[in-house]
Amino acid sequence: MLRKIALGLIVLWLAALNSSSSAQAWPLLPVGTDQDWALPSTVVIIDVGHGGIDGGASSADILEKDINLAIARKLYFILRNQNIPAVLNRTGDYALSDDNRWHITRSRHRRDLSQREQLTQEIESELLVSLHVNWSKKSSTQGPLVLHQSSGESSLLAFCIQDALNRQQNTAFLPREGKPFYLLKRVQQPAVIVEMGFISSERDRTMLTDPKRQQEVASAIASGIRQYKWIVH
């Protein structure tokens, strides 16, 4: 109940800004609408994998959650600079499950996933890109992999991002359908999970932890998103 009240207050606050100059500076507020209220909206929701107590995959003291956030921030600024509205669902090192008070379950992991899904319902968007880092028992396994839903638009988005990452990392992988993944089953808009590389691979790990190379990864993902939007629009 408190969550619904808080969301209502946010909606009213955004609506009050709709007629002011501040509205144009607020990236989630639709401009030029005759409605006297509006839910936040964007083009891309960047889902930043893991966070807080959930570090994700690791190699020594290198944690997936930190890599995901670093590249997500870079992707956010690239997209905004290219006039593609985007939002991050995690801007710091915290677990989204901590914000979930509505899903009654003992599983923190389940609360984390359902909270991520819920945000896609509260923020009107065109697509979701979930950033992750892979891991394998074989240190020789490397390269990017993009997972998609069964829908054609999701598979097209995955192909565009996979192609851009293949060119960036000099690989030749194909995207795959991610049937067992919660977000890909539950999210209504086109969504993909981007495994940006393997933290268990020395080559990929070096790339994923170097700020300049992180920028290259983020630029490749942004390029794939632009290509997708050019095709569908």
Side-chain angles (χ1 to χ4, degrees):
M1 178 62 68
L2 290 177
R3 178 181 179 82
K4 292 182 179 179
I5 294 173
L7 179 58
L9 291 174
I10 291 174
V11 170
L12 292 175
W13 179 63
L14 290 175
L17 291 177
N18 193 36
S19 61
S20 70
S21 60
S22 300
Q24 296 183 5
W26 182 250
L28 301 185
L29 184 64
V31 178
T33 175
D34 293 331
Q35 292 180 327
D36 58 359
W37 62 272
L39 286 174
S41 66
T42 189
V43 172
V44 182
I45 294 179
I46 304 172
D47 174 58
V48 190
H50 306 284
I53 192 173
D54 180 8
S58 64
S59 176
D61 60 345
I62 301 173
L63 301 178
E64 176 188 355
K65 65 175 183 177
D66 299 325
I67 295 172
N68 294 341
L69 182 58
I71 297 179
R73 286 171 171 169
K74 291 175 171 60
L75 175 60
Y76 169 82
F77 284 112
I78 291 171
L79 292 175
R80 294 301 304 277
N81 287 336
Q82 296 172 350
N83 296 318
I84 300 176
V87 295
L88 297 163
N89 64 2
R90 176 167 73 85
T91 59
D93 183 17
Y94 50 85
L96 292 183
S97 58
D98 294 341
D99 294 331
N100 192 329
R101 300 291 186 271
W102 55 273
H103 189 169
I104 308 302
T105 175
R106 293 182 179 180
S107 171
R108 182 206 55 76
H109 180 62
R110 188 79 174 186
R111 290 199 309 275
D112 180 270
L113 291 173
S114 59
Q115 181 72 1
R116 294 173 190 272
E117 177 204 358
Q118 182 67 20
L119 288 173
T120 68
Q121 298 179 27
E122 295 179 359
I123 301 175
E124 181 182 348
S125 61
E126 292 183 17
L127 55 95
L128 176 134
V129 175
S130 183
L131 301 186
H132 287 267
V133 172
N134 226 330
W135 184 91
S136 173
K137 292 182 179 180
K138 297 181 179 179
S139 60
S140 59
T141 303
Q142 58 189 28
L145 175 63
V146 185
L147 303 169
H148 60 82
Q149 300 160 307
S150 58
S151 71
E153 287 190 346
S154 174
S155 59
L156 175 60
L157 175 61
F159 178 85
C160 292
I161 295 176
Q162 182 76 64
D163 178 65
L165 286 171
N166 281 340
R167 287 185 278 109
Q168 179 255 326
Q169 298 184 31
N170 194 29
T171 53
F173 298 111
L174 293 173
R176 302 176 188 172
E177 184 176 351
K179 290 184 179 180
F181 291 92
Y182 181 94
L183 281 181
L184 298 183
K185 290 192 296 184
R186 297 299 187 92
V187 172
Q188 298 301 309
Q189 55 266 66
V192 294
I193 294 175
V194 182
E195 299 282 1
M196 300 175 287
F198 281 80
I199 200 171
S200 49
S201 159
E202 183 178 359
R203 189 205 75 159
D204 285 4
R205 188 167 59 249
T206 299
M207 172 190 66
L208 294 168
T209 54
D210 182 335
K212 291 184 179 180
R213 302 295 304 282
Q214 289 176 345
Q215 187 74 21
E216 294 175 3
V217 174
S219 295
I221 297 172
S223 176
I225 292 172
R226 289 198 312 275
Q227 179 71 7
Y228 166 81
K229 285 182 58 61
W230 181 82
I231 294 173
V232 298
H233 297 295

